[in-house]
Coordinates of all heavy atoms in Angstrom, one line a residue:
M1 N -16.0 49.3 -6.4 CA -15.9 48.3 -5.3 C -14.8 47.3 -5.5 O -14.7 46.8 -6.7 CB -17.3 47.6 -5.2 CG -17.3 46.6 -4.0 SD -18.9 45.8 -3.9 CE -20.0 47.1 -3.6
L2 N -14.1 47.0 -4.5 CA -13.1 46.0 -4.6 C -13.7 44.6 -4.8 O -14.7 44.3 -4.2 CB -12.2 45.9 -3.3 CG -11.2 47.1 -3.1 CD1 -10.6 46.9 -1.7 CD2 -10.2 47.1 -4.2
Q3 N -13.0 43.7 -5.5 CA -13.2 42.3 -5.5 C -12.1 41.6 -4.8 O -10.9 41.8 -5.1 CB -13.3 41.8 -7.0 CG -14.5 42.2 -7.7 CD -15.7 41.3 -7.3 OE1 -15.6 40.1 -7.4 NE2 -16.8 41.9 -7.0
I4 N -12.4 40.9 -3.7 CA -11.4 40.3 -2.9 C -11.6 38.8 -3.1 O -12.8 38.3 -3.0 CB -11.6 40.7 -1.4 CG1 -11.4 42.2 -1.3 CG2 -10.6 39.9 -0.6 CD1 -11.7 42.7 0.1
S5 N -10.5 38.1 -3.3 CA -10.6 36.6 -3.6 C -10.3 35.9 -2.3 O -9.1 35.8 -1.8 CB -9.6 36.2 -4.6 OG -9.7 34.8 -4.9
C6 N -11.4 35.4 -1.6 CA -11.2 34.6 -0.4 C -10.5 33.3 -0.8 O -10.9 32.7 -1.8 CB -12.6 34.3 0.2 SG -12.5 33.1 1.6
P7 N -9.4 32.9 -0.1 CA -8.7 31.6 -0.4 C -9.7 30.4 -0.4 O -9.3 29.4 -1.1 CB -7.7 31.5 0.7 CG -7.4 32.9 1.1 CD -8.8 33.6 1.1
W8 N -10.8 30.5 0.2 CA -11.7 29.3 0.3 C -12.9 29.5 -0.6 O -13.4 28.5 -1.2 CB -12.2 29.1 1.7 CG -11.1 28.6 2.6 CD1 -10.7 27.4 2.9 CD2 -10.3 29.5 3.4 NE1 -9.7 27.4 3.7 CE2 -9.4 28.6 4.1 CE3 -10.2 30.8 3.6 CZ2 -8.4 29.1 5.0 CZ3 -9.2 31.3 4.5 CH2 -8.3 30.5 5.2
C9 N -13.4 30.7 -0.8 CA -14.7 30.9 -1.5 C -14.5 31.5 -2.9 O -15.5 31.5 -3.7 CB -15.6 31.8 -0.7 SG -15.9 31.3 1.0
G10 N -13.3 32.1 -3.2 CA -13.1 32.7 -4.4 C -13.5 34.2 -4.4 O -13.8 34.8 -3.3
P11 N -13.6 34.9 -5.6 CA -13.8 36.3 -5.6 C -15.2 36.7 -5.1 O -16.2 36.0 -5.5 CB -13.7 36.6 -7.1 CG -13.0 35.5 -7.7 CD -13.3 34.3 -6.9
R12 N -15.3 37.7 -4.3 CA -16.5 38.2 -3.8 C -16.4 39.7 -3.6 O -15.3 40.3 -3.6 CB -16.8 37.6 -2.4 CG -17.0 36.1 -2.3 CD -18.3 35.7 -2.9 NE -18.6 34.3 -2.6 CZ -18.2 33.3 -3.3 NH1 -17.4 33.4 -4.3 NH2 -18.6 32.1 -3.0
D13 N -17.5 40.4 -3.5 CA -17.5 41.9 -3.3 C -16.9 42.2 -2.0 O -17.1 41.5 -1.0 CB -18.9 42.4 -3.4 CG -19.5 42.4 -4.9 OD1 -18.7 42.3 -5.8 OD2 -20.7 42.5 -5.0
E14 N -16.3 43.4 -1.9 CA -15.7 43.9 -0.7 C -16.7 44.0 0.5 O -16.3 43.8 1.6 CB -15.2 45.3 -1.1 CG -14.7 46.1 0.1 CD -14.3 47.6 -0.3 OE1 -14.6 47.9 -1.5 OE2 -13.8 48.3 0.5
L15 N -17.9 44.2 0.2 CA -18.9 44.3 1.2 C -19.0 43.1 2.1 O -19.6 43.1 3.2 CB -20.3 44.6 0.7 CG -20.4 46.0 -0.1 CD1 -21.8 46.1 -0.7 CD2 -20.2 47.1 0.9
E16 N -18.6 41.9 1.6 CA -18.7 40.7 2.4 C -17.5 40.5 3.4 O -17.5 39.6 4.1 CB -18.6 39.5 1.4 CG -19.9 39.4 0.6 CD -19.9 38.0 -0.2 OE1 -19.2 37.1 0.2 OE2 -20.7 38.0 -1.1
F17 N -16.6 41.5 3.4 CA -15.3 41.3 4.2 C -15.2 42.5 5.1 O -15.8 43.5 5.0 CB -14.1 41.3 3.2 CG -14.1 40.2 2.2 CD1 -14.8 40.3 1.0 CD2 -13.5 39.0 2.5 CE1 -14.8 39.3 0.1 CE2 -13.5 38.0 1.6 CZ -14.1 38.1 0.4
R18 N -14.4 42.2 6.1 CA -13.9 43.3 7.0 C -12.4 43.2 7.2 O -11.9 42.1 7.3 CB -14.7 43.4 8.3 CG -14.3 42.3 9.3 CD -15.1 42.4 10.6 NE -14.7 41.4 11.5 CZ -14.0 41.7 12.7 NH1 -13.7 42.9 12.9 NH2 -13.7 40.7 13.5
C19 N -11.8 44.4 7.3 CA -10.4 44.5 7.4 C -10.0 44.4 8.9 O -10.7 45.1 9.7 CB -9.8 45.7 6.8 SG -8.0 45.8 6.9
G20 N -9.0 43.6 9.3 CA -8.6 43.5 10.7 C -7.3 44.2 10.9 O -6.7 43.9 12.0
G21 N -6.8 45.0 10.0 CA -5.6 45.7 10.2 C -4.3 45.0 9.7 O -4.4 44.0 9.0
Q22 N -3.2 45.5 10.2 CA -1.9 44.9 9.7 C -1.7 43.5 10.1 O -2.1 43.0 11.2 CB -0.8 45.8 10.4 CG 0.6 45.4 10.0 CD 1.6 46.2 10.8 OE1 1.3 47.2 11.4 NE2 2.8 45.7 10.8
S23 N -1.2 42.7 9.2 CA -0.9 41.3 9.4 C 0.6 41.0 9.7 O 1.4 42.0 9.7 CB -1.3 40.5 8.2 OG -0.5 40.8 7.1
H24 N 0.9 39.8 10.0 CA 2.2 39.4 10.3 C 2.8 40.1 11.6 O 4.0 40.4 11.6 CB 3.2 39.6 9.1 CG 2.7 38.8 7.9 ND1 2.9 37.4 7.8 CD2 2.1 39.1 6.8 CE1 2.4 37.0 6.7 NE2 1.9 38.0 6.1
I25 N 2.0 40.4 12.5 CA 2.4 40.9 13.8 C 2.6 39.8 14.8 O 1.7 39.0 14.9 CB 1.4 41.9 14.4 CG1 1.3 43.1 13.4 CG2 1.9 42.4 15.7 CD1 0.2 44.1 13.8
I26 N 3.7 39.6 15.3 CA 4.0 38.5 16.2 C 3.8 38.9 17.7 O 4.4 39.9 18.2 CB 5.5 38.0 16.0 CG1 5.6 37.5 14.6 CG2 5.8 36.9 17.0 CD1 7.0 37.2 14.2
R27 N 2.9 38.2 18.3 CA 2.6 38.4 19.7 C 3.8 38.0 20.6 O 4.4 37.0 20.4 CB 1.4 37.6 20.1 CG 0.9 37.8 21.6 CD -0.2 36.8 21.9 NE -0.5 36.8 23.3 CZ -1.6 37.2 23.8 NH1 -2.6 37.7 23.0 NH2 -1.8 37.2 25.1
P28 N 4.2 38.9 21.5 CA 5.3 38.6 22.4 C 5.0 37.3 23.2 O 3.8 37.2 23.7 CB 5.4 39.8 23.3 CG 4.7 40.9 22.6 CD 3.7 40.3 21.8
D29 N 6.0 36.5 23.4 CA 5.7 35.2 24.0 C 6.8 34.9 25.0 O 8.0 34.8 24.6 CB 5.6 34.1 23.0 CG 5.2 32.8 23.7 OD1 4.3 32.8 24.6 OD2 5.7 31.7 23.2
P30 N 6.6 34.7 26.3 CA 5.3 34.9 26.9 C 5.0 36.4 27.2 O 5.9 37.1 27.5 CB 5.4 34.1 28.3 CG 6.9 34.3 28.6 CD 7.6 34.3 27.2
P31 N 3.7 36.8 27.1 CA 3.4 38.2 27.2 C 3.7 38.8 28.6 O 4.0 40.0 28.7 CB 1.9 38.3 26.9 CG 1.4 36.9 27.0 CD 2.5 36.0 26.8
E32 N 3.6 37.9 29.7 CA 3.9 38.5 31.0 C 5.4 38.7 31.2 O 5.8 39.4 32.2 CB 3.4 37.5 32.1 CG 4.0 36.1 32.1 CD 3.4 35.1 31.1 OE1 2.5 35.5 30.3 OE2 3.7 34.0 31.2
A33 N 6.2 38.4 30.3 CA 7.7 38.6 30.4 C 8.2 39.9 29.9 O 9.3 40.3 30.0 CB 8.4 37.4 29.7
I34 N 7.3 40.7 29.2 CA 7.7 41.9 28.7 C 7.2 43.1 29.5 O 6.2 42.9 30.2 CB 7.3 42.1 27.2 CG1 5.8 42.2 27.0 CG2 7.9 41.0 26.3 CD1 5.4 42.6 25.6
D35 N 7.8 44.2 29.4 CA 7.4 45.4 30.2 C 6.1 46.1 29.6 O 5.8 45.8 28.4 CB 8.5 46.4 30.3 CG 9.0 46.9 29.0 OD1 8.3 47.8 28.4 OD2 10.0 46.4 28.4
D36 N 5.5 47.0 30.3 CA 4.3 47.6 29.9 C 4.4 48.5 28.6 O 3.6 48.5 27.7 CB 3.7 48.5 31.0 CG 3.1 47.7 32.1 OD1 2.9 46.4 31.9 OD2 2.9 48.2 33.2
V37 N 5.6 49.1 28.5 CA 5.8 49.9 27.3 C 5.9 49.1 26.0 O 5.3 49.4 25.0 CB 7.1 50.8 27.4 CG1 7.5 51.5 26.2 CG2 7.0 51.8 28.6
S38 N 6.6 48.0 26.1 CA 6.7 47.0 25.0 C 5.3 46.4 24.6 O 5.0 46.3 23.5 CB 7.7 45.9 25.3 OG 9.0 46.5 25.5
W39 N 4.6 46.1 25.7 CA 3.2 45.5 25.4 C 2.3 46.6 24.8 O 1.6 46.3 23.8 CB 2.6 45.0 26.7 CG 1.3 44.4 26.6 CD1 0.1 44.9 26.9 CD2 1.0 43.1 25.9 NE1 -0.9 44.0 26.6 CE2 -0.4 42.9 26.0 CE3 1.9 42.2 25.3 CZ2 -0.9 41.7 25.4 CZ3 1.3 41.0 24.8 CH2 -0.1 40.8 24.9
G40 N 2.4 47.8 25.2 CA 1.6 48.9 24.6 C 2.0 49.1 23.2 O 1.1 49.3 22.3
K41 N 3.3 49.0 22.8 CA 3.7 49.2 21.4 C 3.2 48.0 20.6 O 2.7 48.2 19.5 CB 5.2 49.2 21.4 CG 5.8 50.5 21.8 CD 7.4 50.5 21.7 CE 7.9 51.8 22.1 NZ 9.4 51.8 22.0
Y42 N 3.2 46.8 21.2 CA 2.6 45.7 20.4 C 1.1 45.9 20.1 O 0.7 45.6 19.0 CB 2.8 44.4 21.3 CG 1.9 43.2 20.8 CD1 2.2 42.6 19.6 CD2 0.8 42.9 21.6 CE1 1.3 41.6 19.2 CE2 0.0 41.8 21.2 CZ 0.3 41.2 20.0 OH -0.6 40.2 19.6
L43 N 0.4 46.4 21.1 CA -1.0 46.6 20.9 C -1.4 47.7 20.0 O -2.4 47.7 19.3 CB -1.7 46.8 22.3 CG -1.7 45.6 23.2 CD1 -2.3 45.9 24.6 CD2 -2.4 44.4 22.6
S44 N -0.6 48.8 20.1 CA -1.1 50.0 19.4 C -0.3 50.6 18.3 O -0.8 51.3 17.5 CB -1.2 51.1 20.5 OG 0.0 51.4 21.1
E45 N 1.0 50.2 18.2 CA 1.8 50.8 17.1 C 1.8 49.9 15.9 O 2.3 48.8 15.8 CB 3.3 50.9 17.6 CG 3.4 52.0 18.6 CD 4.9 52.3 18.9 OE1 5.8 51.7 18.3 OE2 5.1 53.1 19.8
K46 N 1.1 50.4 14.9 CA 0.9 49.7 13.6 C 1.5 50.6 12.5 O 1.4 51.8 12.6 CB -0.5 49.4 13.3 CG -1.2 48.6 14.5 CD -0.6 47.3 14.7 CE -1.4 46.5 15.7 NZ -0.8 46.3 17.0
I47 N 2.0 50.0 11.5 CA 2.4 50.8 10.3 C 1.2 51.2 9.5 O 0.2 50.5 9.4 CB 3.5 50.1 9.5 CG1 2.9 48.8 8.9 CG2 4.7 49.8 10.4 CD1 3.8 48.2 7.9
N48 N 1.4 52.3 8.8 CA 0.3 52.8 7.9 C 1.0 53.3 6.6 O 1.1 54.5 6.4 CB -0.5 53.9 8.5 CG -1.7 54.3 7.7 OD1 -2.1 53.6 6.8 ND2 -2.2 55.5 8.0
P49 N 1.6 52.4 5.8 CA 2.4 52.8 4.7 C 1.6 53.3 3.5 O 0.4 53.0 3.3 CB 3.1 51.5 4.3 CG 2.1 50.5 4.6 CD 1.4 50.9 5.9
R50 N 2.3 54.1 2.7 CA 1.7 54.5 1.4 C 2.3 53.5 0.4 O 3.5 53.5 0.1 CB 2.2 55.9 1.0 CG 1.7 56.4 -0.3 CD 2.2 57.8 -0.5 NE 2.0 58.3 -1.9 CZ 0.9 58.7 -2.4 NH1 -0.1 58.8 -1.6 NH2 0.8 59.1 -3.6
G51 N 1.4 52.6 -0.1 CA 1.9 51.6 -1.1 C 1.6 50.2 -0.5 O 0.5 50.0 0.1
E52 N 2.5 49.3 -0.7 CA 2.3 47.9 -0.4 C 2.0 47.7 1.1 O 2.8 48.2 1.9 CB 3.5 47.1 -0.8 CG 3.3 45.6 -0.6 CD 2.3 45.0 -1.6 OE1 2.3 45.4 -2.7 OE2 1.6 44.1 -1.2
H53 N 0.9 47.0 1.5 CA 0.6 46.8 2.9 C 0.0 45.4 3.0 O -0.8 45.0 2.2 CB -0.5 47.8 3.3 CG -0.7 47.9 4.8 ND1 -1.9 47.9 5.4 CD2 0.2 47.8 5.8 CE1 -1.8 47.9 6.7 NE2 -0.5 47.9 7.0
L54 N 0.5 44.7 4.0 CA 0.0 43.3 4.3 C -1.1 43.4 5.4 O -0.8 43.9 6.5 CB 1.1 42.4 4.7 CG 2.3 42.3 3.7 CD1 3.4 41.5 4.2 CD2 1.7 41.7 2.4
E55 N -2.3 42.9 5.1 CA -3.4 43.1 6.0 C -4.1 41.8 6.3 O -4.1 40.9 5.5 CB -4.4 44.1 5.4 CG -3.9 45.4 5.0 CD -4.8 46.2 4.1 OE1 -5.6 45.6 3.4 OE2 -4.7 47.5 4.2
R56 N -4.8 41.7 7.5 CA -5.7 40.6 7.8 C -7.1 41.0 7.4 O -7.5 42.1 7.7 CB -5.6 40.3 9.3 CG -4.3 40.0 9.8 CD -4.3 39.7 11.3 NE -5.0 40.9 12.0 CZ -5.6 40.8 13.1 NH1 -5.7 39.7 13.8 NH2 -6.1 41.9 13.7
W57 N -7.8 40.1 6.7 CA -9.2 40.3 6.4 C -10.0 39.1 6.8 O -9.5 38.0 6.8 CB -9.3 40.5 4.9 CG -8.9 41.9 4.4 CD1 -7.6 42.3 4.3 CD2 -9.7 42.9 4.0 NE1 -7.6 43.6 3.8 CE2 -8.9 44.0 3.6 CE3 -11.1 43.1 3.8 CZ2 -9.4 45.2 3.1 CZ3 -11.6 44.3 3.4 CH2 -10.7 45.3 3.0
Q58 N -11.2 39.3 7.1 CA -12.1 38.2 7.4 C -13.3 38.2 6.4 O -13.9 39.3 6.1 CB -12.7 38.4 8.8 CG -13.6 37.2 9.2 CD -14.3 37.4 10.5 OE1 -14.6 38.5 10.9 NE2 -14.6 36.3 11.2
H59 N -13.6 37.0 5.9 CA -14.8 36.9 5.0 C -16.0 36.8 5.9 O -16.6 35.8 6.1 CB -14.6 35.6 4.2 CG -15.6 35.6 3.0 ND1 -15.7 34.6 2.1 CD2 -16.6 36.5 2.7 CE1 -16.6 34.8 1.3 NE2 -17.2 36.0 1.6
N60 N -16.4 38.0 6.4 CA -17.4 38.1 7.4 C -18.8 37.6 7.0 O -19.5 37.0 7.8 CB -17.5 39.6 7.8 CG -18.1 39.9 9.2 OD1 -17.8 39.1 10.1 ND2 -18.8 41.0 9.3
A61 N -19.2 37.8 5.8 CA -20.5 37.4 5.3 C -20.4 36.1 4.5 O -21.3 35.8 3.7 CB -21.1 38.5 4.4
G62 N -19.3 35.4 4.6 CA -19.2 34.1 3.9 C -18.7 33.0 4.8 O -19.4 32.7 5.8
C63 N -17.5 32.5 4.6 CA -17.0 31.4 5.4 C -16.5 31.9 6.8 O -16.2 31.0 7.6 CB -15.9 30.7 4.6 SG -14.4 31.8 4.4
R64 N -16.4 33.2 7.0 CA -16.0 33.8 8.3 C -14.5 33.5 8.6 O -14.1 33.6 9.8 CB -16.9 33.4 9.4 CG -18.4 33.8 9.2 CD -19.2 33.7 10.4 NE -18.8 34.4 11.5 CZ -18.9 35.8 11.7 NH1 -19.5 36.5 10.8 NH2 -18.5 36.3 12.8
R65 N -13.8 33.0 7.7 CA -12.3 32.7 8.0 C -11.5 34.0 7.7 O -11.8 34.8 7.0 CB -11.8 31.6 7.0 CG -12.5 30.3 7.3 CD -11.9 29.2 6.4 NE -12.5 27.9 6.8 CZ -12.3 26.8 6.1 NH1 -11.5 26.8 5.1 NH2 -12.8 25.7 6.5
W66 N -10.4 34.0 8.5 CA -9.4 35.0 8.3 C -8.3 34.6 7.3 O -8.0 33.5 7.2 CB -8.7 35.3 9.7 CG -9.6 36.1 10.6 CD1 -10.4 35.5 11.5 CD2 -9.7 37.5 10.8 NE1 -11.1 36.5 12.3 CE2 -10.7 37.7 11.8 CE3 -9.2 38.6 10.1 CZ2 -11.0 39.0 12.2 CZ3 -9.5 39.8 10.5 CH2 -10.4 40.0 11.6
F67 N -7.8 35.6 6.6 CA -6.7 35.4 5.6 C -5.9 36.7 5.5 O -6.3 37.7 6.0 CB -7.2 34.8 4.3 CG -8.2 35.7 3.6 CD1 -7.8 36.6 2.6 CD2 -9.6 35.7 4.0 CE1 -8.7 37.5 2.0 CE2 -10.5 36.6 3.4 CZ -10.1 37.4 2.4
N68 N -4.8 36.6 4.8 CA -4.0 37.8 4.5 C -4.2 38.3 3.1 O -4.5 37.6 2.2 CB -2.5 37.5 4.7 CG -2.2 37.2 6.2 OD1 -2.6 37.9 7.0 ND2 -1.4 36.2 6.4
V69 N -4.1 39.7 3.0 CA -4.2 40.3 1.7 C -3.0 41.3 1.6 O -2.7 42.0 2.5 CB -5.5 41.2 1.7 CG1 -5.6 42.0 0.4 CG2 -6.7 40.3 1.8
A70 N -2.4 41.2 0.4 CA -1.3 42.2 0.1 C -2.0 43.2 -0.8 O -2.4 42.9 -2.0 CB -0.2 41.5 -0.7
R71 N -2.1 44.4 -0.3 CA -2.9 45.5 -1.0 C -2.1 46.7 -1.1 O -1.4 47.1 -0.2 CB -4.2 45.7 -0.2 CG -5.1 46.7 -0.9 CD -6.4 46.9 -0.1 NE -6.2 47.5 1.3 CZ -6.2 48.8 1.5 NH1 -6.4 49.6 0.6 NH2 -6.0 49.2 2.8
D72 N -2.2 47.4 -2.2 CA -1.6 48.7 -2.4 C -2.6 49.8 -1.8 O -3.7 49.9 -2.3 CB -1.3 49.0 -3.9 CG -0.5 50.2 -4.1 OD1 -0.9 51.3 -3.5 OD2 0.6 50.2 -4.7
T73 N -2.1 50.5 -0.8 CA -3.0 51.5 -0.2 C -3.3 52.7 -1.0 O -4.2 53.5 -0.7 CB -2.4 51.9 1.2 OG1 -1.1 52.6 1.0 CG2 -2.2 50.8 2.1
V74 N -2.5 52.9 -2.1 CA -2.8 54.1 -3.0 C -3.8 53.7 -4.0 O -4.8 54.4 -4.2 CB -1.4 54.5 -3.6 CG1 -1.7 55.7 -4.6 CG2 -0.5 55.0 -2.5
T75 N -3.6 52.6 -4.7 CA -4.4 52.2 -5.8 C -5.5 51.2 -5.4 O -6.5 51.0 -6.1 CB -3.6 51.5 -6.9 OG1 -3.1 50.3 -6.4 CG2 -2.5 52.4 -7.4
H76 N -5.4 50.7 -4.2 CA -6.3 49.6 -3.7 C -6.2 48.3 -4.4 O -7.0 47.4 -4.2 CB -7.8 50.1 -3.6 CG -7.9 51.3 -2.7 ND1 -7.8 51.2 -1.3 CD2 -8.2 52.6 -2.9 CE1 -7.9 52.4 -0.8 NE2 -8.2 53.2 -1.7
R77 N -5.2 48.2 -5.3 CA -5.1 47.0 -6.1 C -4.6 45.9 -5.1 O -3.7 46.0 -4.3 CB -4.0 47.2 -7.2 CG -3.7 45.9 -8.0 CD -2.7 46.2 -9.1 NE -2.3 44.9 -9.6 CZ -1.1 44.7 -10.1 NH1 -0.2 45.7 -10.1 NH2 -0.8 43.5 -10.6
I78 N -5.3 44.7 -5.2 CA -4.9 43.6 -4.4 C -4.0 42.7 -5.2 O -4.3 42.2 -6.3 CB -6.2 42.8 -3.9 CG1 -7.0 43.7 -3.0 CG2 -5.8 41.5 -3.2 CD1 -8.3 43.1 -2.6
R79 N -2.8 42.5 -4.7 CA -1.8 41.8 -5.4 C -1.8 40.3 -5.1 O -1.4 39.5 -5.9 CB -0.4 42.4 -5.1 CG -0.3 43.8 -5.5 CD 1.1 44.4 -5.2 NE 1.1 45.8 -5.3 CZ 1.2 46.5 -6.4 NH1 1.3 45.9 -7.6 NH2 1.2 47.8 -6.4
A80 N -2.3 40.0 -3.9 CA -2.3 38.5 -3.5 C -3.2 38.4 -2.3 O -3.4 39.3 -1.5 CB -0.9 38.0 -3.2
T81 N -3.9 37.2 -2.2 CA -4.5 36.8 -0.9 C -4.0 35.4 -0.6 O -3.6 34.7 -1.5 CB -6.1 36.7 -1.1 OG1 -6.4 35.7 -2.1 CG2 -6.7 38.0 -1.4
Y82 N -3.8 35.2 0.7 CA -3.1 33.9 1.1 C -3.5 33.6 2.5 O -4.0 34.4 3.3 CB -1.6 34.0 0.9 CG -1.0 35.2 1.6 CD1 -0.3 35.0 2.8 CD2 -1.0 36.5 1.1 CE1 0.3 36.1 3.5 CE2 -0.4 37.5 1.7 CZ 0.2 37.3 2.9 OH 0.8 38.4 3.6
H83 N -3.3 32.3 2.8 CA -3.8 31.8 4.2 C -2.9 32.4 5.3 O -1.8 32.8 5.0 CB -3.6 30.3 4.2 CG -4.5 29.6 3.3 ND1 -5.1 28.4 3.6 CD2 -5.0 29.9 2.1 CE1 -5.9 28.0 2.6 NE2 -5.9 28.9 1.7
M84 N -3.5 32.4 6.5 CA -2.8 33.0 7.6 C -1.5 32.3 8.0 O -0.6 33.0 8.5 CB -3.7 33.0 8.9 CG -5.0 33.8 8.7 SD -4.7 35.6 8.5 CE -4.3 36.0 10.1
T85 N -1.4 31.1 7.6 CA -0.1 30.3 8.0 C 0.9 30.5 6.9 O 2.1 30.0 7.1 CB -0.5 28.9 8.2 OG1 -1.1 28.3 7.0 CG2 -1.4 28.7 9.4
E86 N 0.6 31.1 5.8 CA 1.6 31.2 4.7 C 2.5 32.5 4.9 O 2.0 33.5 5.5 CB 0.9 31.3 3.3 CG 0.2 30.1 2.9 CD -0.5 30.3 1.6 OE1 0.2 30.0 0.5 OE2 -1.6 30.7 1.5
A87 N 3.7 32.4 4.4 CA 4.6 33.6 4.4 C 4.1 34.6 3.4 O 3.4 34.3 2.5 CB 6.0 33.2 4.0
A88 N 4.4 35.9 3.7 CA 4.1 37.0 2.8 C 4.7 36.7 1.4 O 5.8 36.3 1.3 CB 4.5 38.3 3.4
P89 N 4.0 37.1 0.4 CA 4.5 36.9 -1.0 C 5.6 37.9 -1.3 O 5.7 39.0 -0.7 CB 3.3 37.2 -1.9 CG 2.4 38.0 -1.1 CD 2.6 37.6 0.3
A90 N 6.6 37.4 -2.1 CA 7.7 38.3 -2.5 C 7.2 39.2 -3.6 O 6.5 38.7 -4.5 CB 8.9 37.5 -2.9
F91 N 7.7 40.4 -3.6 CA 7.4 41.3 -4.7 C 8.6 41.9 -5.3 O 9.6 42.2 -4.6 CB 6.5 42.4 -4.2 CG 5.1 42.0 -3.8 CD1 4.8 41.7 -2.5 CD2 4.1 41.8 -4.7 CE1 3.6 41.2 -2.1 CE2 2.9 41.3 -4.4 CZ 2.6 41.0 -3.1
S92 N 8.6 42.1 -6.6 CA 9.8 42.8 -7.2 C 9.7 44.3 -7.0 O 8.7 44.8 -6.3 CB 9.7 42.5 -8.7 OG 8.6 43.0 -9.3
A93 N 10.7 45.0 -7.4 CA 10.7 46.5 -7.2 C 9.5 47.2 -7.7 O 9.1 48.2 -7.2 CB 12.0 47.0 -7.8
D94 N 8.9 46.7 -8.8 CA 7.7 47.4 -9.3 C 6.4 46.9 -8.6 O 5.3 47.2 -9.1 CB 7.6 47.2 -10.8 CG 7.4 45.7 -11.3 OD1 7.5 44.9 -10.4 OD2 7.3 45.5 -12.5
G95 N 6.5 46.1 -7.6 CA 5.4 45.6 -6.8 C 4.6 44.5 -7.4 O 3.5 44.1 -6.9
V96 N 5.1 43.8 -8.4 CA 4.4 42.7 -9.1 C 5.0 41.4 -8.6 O 6.3 41.3 -8.5 CB 4.6 42.8 -10.6 CG1 3.9 41.6 -11.2 CG2 3.9 44.1 -11.1
A97 N 4.2 40.5 -8.2 CA 4.7 39.2 -7.7 C 5.4 38.5 -8.8 O 5.0 38.5 -10.0 CB 3.5 38.3 -7.2
P98 N 6.6 37.9 -8.5 CA 7.4 37.3 -9.6 C 6.7 36.0 -10.0 O 5.9 35.4 -9.4 CB 8.7 37.0 -8.9 CG 8.5 37.0 -7.4 CD 7.2 37.9 -7.2
Ligands
ZN1 ZN1 -14.6 32.8 2.3

């Protein structure tokens, strides 16, 4: 079982969280100014990489806040958790935060 460190509550079991998919997706602004194809891509086209992935998670059974997780989709190793307003962490070529 994964241990996920909520930025507010600290480490907790994976069962307390739910994944909300890819993070750092920017909503088109204003949405009524873009065409239907672009809006459809915004809503449905998400990346599904093998390796480093930036995801949104909610501490569903705890503080209920959303935050970002940098997780390796192959090993499930969590490299960082950070607030929604923070930039994604930088990683070196071997995937380790400097
Ligand atoms: Zn929490």
Side-chain angles (χ1 to χ4, degrees):
M1 178 180 303
L2 286 176
Q3 284 284 306
I4 300 173
S5 184
C6 172
W8 291 273
C9 306
R12 299 286 193 275
D13 288 342
E14 173 187 4
L15 296 174
E16 293 189 15
F17 299 86
R18 73 179 182 110
C19 183
Q22 182 182 343
S23 65
H24 300 284
I25 298 173
I26 299 173
R27 180 186 171 113
D29 186 38
E32 62 273 10
I34 66 169
D35 60 80
D36 290 345
V37 173
S38 298
W39 184 251
K41 286 181 179 180
Y42 162 73
L43 293 176
S44 61
E45 288 188 5
K46 309 294 187 251
I47 62 170
N48 187 20
R50 178 178 169 83
E52 186 70 36
H53 192 224
L54 302 175
E55 303 167 332
R56 300 178 308 152
W57 284 74
Q58 183 187 29
H59 193 181
N60 204 35
C63 66
R64 302 193 55 80
R65 292 181 178 177
W66 286 91
F67 58 96
N68 289 317
V69 173
R71 181 178 67 90
D72 188 306
T73 60
V74 176
T75 64
H76 298 292
R77 179 177 169 214
I78 294 175
R79 301 182 193 278
T81 60
Y82 54 102
H83 293 217
M84 295 299 283
T85 56
E86 293 181 87
F91 292 96
S92 61
D94 62 357
V96 178

